Amino acid sequence: SGPWSASKCIDGDLGELERNFCASTTSDDPSVTLDLGAAIQIAYVAVYNRRDCCRDKLGHYTVSYRVATTDAWTLCSGETAARDAFGPLLSDCSHQLAQYVRVQLPGERRTLTLAEVEVIRSAVVLAALTALAAALALAATTIALAAAALALAAATTIGLAPESVAC
């Protein structure tokens, strides 16, 4: 625990000026491991870098998963964050079953310093994509109706019969 404990990686707070982030001391291959409480299907892992400083420390990182503490870690994704990246930095985990998820910085003398790590379940992604598709469909319908209304208004203004306006 302490002011920079791993629990700060999963509190939903993206961090404000050095107060709410998770970090490690400088070490070889530092990592943070999340215990999801039960094995679930994960679609993505989102990593959020700190806003206030140290964004360049993330660099190359890996996301791994396993079902039980006795299982070997399976690599989900290897990523390289831009020096100024904040996030969400998404790693596609292809709907893998996992109870434990690890974000690790491979290499010597690295420092893990993050604002947040989110594990996104398949159902959540599906619901978000469905809602987005519905919103886009509604927006397209609204645009088509507005275009038809404008065409009708223009036709009426210049004296054309409404039947001669193609929508």
Side-chain angles (χ1 to χ4, degrees), residues 37-97:
I40 63 169
Q41 274 199 322
I42 59 173
Y44 296 93
V45 174
V47 173
Y48 292 84
N49 220 348
R50 287 177 57 180
R51 291 180 193 226
D52 61 334
C53 77
C54 317
R55 289 186 195 170
D56 61 325
K57 292 191 180 296
L58 183 55
H60 177 67
Y61 65 98
T62 60
V63 176
S64 302
Y65 65 91
R66 63 185 179 187
V67 175
T69 57
T70 55
D71 295 342
W73 287 103
T74 302
L75 182 65
C76 171
S77 180
E79 307 286 345
T80 301
R83 290 182 61 80
D84 62 347
F86 173 65
L89 306 169
L90 294 176
S91 295
D92 184 351
C93 292
S94 302
H95 309 286
Q96 298 299 322
L97 187 64

Side-chain angles (χ1 to χ4, degrees), residues 101-120:
V101 174
R102 178 178 70 183
V103 176
Q104 183 173 41
L105 305 185
E108 296 178 357
R109 302 202 39 80
R110 306 267 322 260
T111 304
L112 181 71
T113 177
L114 300 172
E116 192 77 10
V117 178
E118 292 179 330
V119 176
I120 302 168

